[in-house]
Amino acid sequence: MSTWSGIRHKLENEYLAESLRGHIQYYCTSYSKSPDHHGRASIRLDGKELISGCYWNNWNKAHLFPHDETYEKRMSENYAYMDETALKLGIFSEKSFYAAFQEFDNQSIDESLNSDNLIVKIFAILDRRVGKRRLETIKDNLNPQDEIFNMFYNIRVKAENI
């Protein structure tokens, strides 16, 4: 696995759309004094955190997950469902970012846009390989209940002056 500085460089310089460079920042850290060296991660727009999570939240807020068909999978697998609920609750850590980046970096932009992992989809919607025509096409398929993805989509559209 790459270092965080290498991953951040790729996300902010190689993959990020030109219109968002200098505005979107990816943040990840681990705490050397915590028992397992876990930490936190976030995506920022002009210094304001749009989404953030930390490993501690995994334990503190896990009871808030809805007891639906994904509950058992969430509780038994690492990074099983990085969806709207997990991101709203901040139940992800820097390791979720690393796993999402590995998935994103090793597949096509189309696969990333259709990923079950919402962090991967966010990386993809902010990616320079998603052009204005594709953004217009995506608009027709937006789900109003996907608030976080829609927020990042709107940030991208606004940056592109569409």
PDB file of all heavy atoms in Angstrom, residues 72-81:
ATOM      1  N   GLU A  72     -25.959  -7.169   9.729  1.00  0.00           N
ATOM      2  CA  GLU A  72     -25.024  -8.250  10.070  1.00  0.00           C
ATOM      3  C   GLU A  72     -23.742  -8.132   9.270  1.00  0.00           C
ATOM      4  O   GLU A  72     -22.644  -8.346   9.798  1.00  0.00           O
ATOM      5  CB  GLU A  72     -25.669  -9.621   9.846  1.00  0.00           C
ATOM      6  CG  GLU A  72     -26.704  -9.975  10.891  1.00  0.00           C
ATOM      7  CD  GLU A  72     -26.155  -9.952  12.311  1.00  0.00           C
ATOM      8  OE1 GLU A  72     -25.024 -10.427  12.550  1.00  0.00           O
ATOM      9  OE2 GLU A  72     -26.860  -9.427  13.200  1.00  0.00           O
ATOM     10  N   LYS A  73     -23.857  -7.776   8.014  1.00  0.00           N
ATOM     11  CA  LYS A  73     -22.674  -7.625   7.176  1.00  0.00           C
ATOM     12  C   LYS A  73     -21.818  -6.466   7.681  1.00  0.00           C
ATOM     13  O   LYS A  73     -20.595  -6.553   7.735  1.00  0.00           O
ATOM     14  CB  LYS A  73     -23.090  -7.399   5.721  1.00  0.00           C
ATOM     15  CG  LYS A  73     -21.976  -7.586   4.755  1.00  0.00           C
ATOM     16  CD  LYS A  73     -22.502  -7.607   3.332  1.00  0.00           C
ATOM     17  CE  LYS A  73     -21.418  -8.118   2.426  1.00  0.00           C
ATOM     18  NZ  LYS A  73     -21.845  -8.344   1.086  1.00  0.00           N
ATOM     19  N   ARG A  74     -22.454  -5.377   8.047  1.00  0.00           N
ATOM     20  CA  ARG A  74     -21.722  -4.231   8.595  1.00  0.00           C
ATOM     21  C   ARG A  74     -20.920  -4.617   9.827  1.00  0.00           C
ATOM     22  O   ARG A  74     -19.806  -4.172  10.028  1.00  0.00           O
ATOM     23  CB  ARG A  74     -22.691  -3.125   9.018  1.00  0.00           C
ATOM     24  CG  ARG A  74     -23.282  -2.315   7.949  1.00  0.00           C
ATOM     25  CD  ARG A  74     -24.132  -1.241   8.633  1.00  0.00           C
ATOM     26  NE  ARG A  74     -25.159  -0.718   7.793  1.00  0.00           N
ATOM     27  CZ  ARG A  74     -24.987   0.254   6.919  1.00  0.00           C
ATOM     28  NH1 ARG A  74     -23.816   0.783   6.762  1.00  0.00           N
ATOM     29  NH2 ARG A  74     -25.989   0.683   6.193  1.00  0.00           N
ATOM     30  N   MET A  75     -21.534  -5.415  10.684  1.00  0.00           N
ATOM     31  CA  MET A  75     -20.909  -5.745  11.953  1.00  0.00           C
ATOM     32  C   MET A  75     -19.842  -6.830  11.823  1.00  0.00           C
ATOM     33  O   MET A  75     -18.985  -6.960  12.678  1.00  0.00           O
ATOM     34  CB  MET A  75     -21.964  -6.204  12.970  1.00  0.00           C
ATOM     35  CG  MET A  75     -22.972  -5.125  13.339  1.00  0.00           C
ATOM     36  SD  MET A  75     -22.170  -3.684  14.037  1.00  0.00           S
ATOM     37  CE  MET A  75     -22.820  -2.389  13.021  1.00  0.00           C
ATOM     38  N   SER A  76     -19.878  -7.612  10.750  1.00  0.00           N
ATOM     39  CA  SER A  76     -18.943  -8.727  10.641  1.00  0.00           C
ATOM     40  C   SER A  76     -17.816  -8.499   9.634  1.00  0.00           C
ATOM     41  O   SER A  76     -16.812  -9.188   9.685  1.00  0.00           O
ATOM     42  CB  SER A  76     -19.698 -10.006  10.277  1.00  0.00           C
ATOM     43  OG  SER A  76     -20.304  -9.867   9.011  1.00  0.00           O
ATOM     44  N   GLU A  77     -17.954  -7.559   8.716  1.00  0.00           N
ATOM     45  CA  GLU A  77     -16.933  -7.338   7.691  1.00  0.00           C
ATOM     46  C   GLU A  77     -16.337  -5.950   7.816  1.00  0.00           C
ATOM     47  O   GLU A  77     -17.048  -4.989   8.102  1.00  0.00           O
ATOM     48  CB  GLU A  77     -17.546  -7.480   6.295  1.00  0.00           C
ATOM     49  CG  GLU A  77     -18.021  -8.860   5.959  1.00  0.00           C
ATOM     50  CD  GLU A  77     -18.591  -8.941   4.558  1.00  0.00           C
ATOM     51  OE1 GLU A  77     -18.266  -8.078   3.728  1.00  0.00           O
ATOM     52  OE2 GLU A  77     -19.370  -9.870   4.310  1.00  0.00           O
ATOM     53  N   ASN A  78     -15.044  -5.870   7.563  1.00  0.00           N
ATOM     54  CA  ASN A  78     -14.393  -4.568   7.537  1.00  0.00           C
ATOM     55  C   ASN A  78     -14.827  -3.797   6.304  1.00  0.00           C
ATOM     56  O   ASN A  78     -14.821  -4.335   5.202  1.00  0.00           O
ATOM     57  CB  ASN A  78     -12.871  -4.722   7.509  1.00  0.00           C
ATOM     58  CG  ASN A  78     -12.331  -5.186   8.823  1.00  0.00           C
ATOM     59  OD1 ASN A  78     -12.916  -4.916   9.865  1.00  0.00           O
ATOM     60  ND2 ASN A  78     -11.211  -5.879   8.791  1.00  0.00           N
ATOM     61  N   TYR A  79     -15.195  -2.542   6.476  1.00  0.00           N
ATOM     62  CA  TYR A  79     -15.553  -1.638   5.382  1.00  0.00           C
ATOM     63  C   TYR A  79     -16.660  -2.204   4.507  1.00  0.00           C
ATOM     64  O   TYR A  79     -16.705  -1.965   3.306  1.00  0.00           O
ATOM     65  CB  TYR A  79     -14.338  -1.319   4.500  1.00  0.00           C
ATOM     66  CG  TYR A  79     -13.040  -1.273   5.239  1.00  0.00           C
ATOM     67  CD1 TYR A  79     -12.017  -2.158   4.952  1.00  0.00           C
ATOM     68  CD2 TYR A  79     -12.845  -0.344   6.259  1.00  0.00           C
ATOM     69  CE1 TYR A  79     -10.828  -2.120   5.644  1.00  0.00           C
ATOM     70  CE2 TYR A  79     -11.656  -0.310   6.960  1.00  0.00           C
ATOM     71  CZ  TYR A  79     -10.658  -1.194   6.650  1.00  0.00           C
ATOM     72  OH  TYR A  79      -9.483  -1.164   7.346  1.00  0.00           O
ATOM     73  N   ALA A  80     -17.565  -2.993   5.083  1.00  0.00           N
ATOM     74  CA  ALA A  80     -18.575  -3.682   4.283  1.00  0.00           C
ATOM     75  C   ALA A  80     -19.488  -2.712   3.552  1.00  0.00           C
ATOM     76  O   ALA A  80     -19.709  -2.850   2.363  1.00  0.00           O
ATOM     77  CB  ALA A  80     -19.410  -4.604   5.165  1.00  0.00           C
ATOM     78  N   TYR A  81     -20.009  -1.725   4.244  1.00  0.00           N
ATOM     79  CA  TYR A  81     -20.965  -0.821   3.619  1.00  0.00           C
ATOM     80  C   TYR A  81     -20.629   0.612   3.959  1.00  0.00           C
ATOM     81  O   TYR A  81     -21.059   1.133   4.974  1.00  0.00           O
ATOM     82  CB  TYR A  81     -22.382  -1.138   4.077  1.00  0.00           C
ATOM     83  CG  TYR A  81     -23.004  -2.316   3.381  1.00  0.00           C
ATOM     84  CD1 TYR A  81     -22.288  -3.110   2.516  1.00  0.00           C
ATOM     85  CD2 TYR A  81     -24.328  -2.633   3.583  1.00  0.00           C
ATOM     86  CE1 TYR A  81     -22.850  -4.179   1.887  1.00  0.00           C
ATOM     87  CE2 TYR A  81     -24.909  -3.719   2.953  1.00  0.00           C
ATOM     88  CZ  TYR A  81     -24.162  -4.481   2.107  1.00  0.00           C
ATOM     89  OH  TYR A  81     -24.729  -5.543   1.481  1.00  0.00           O
TER      90      TYR A  81
END
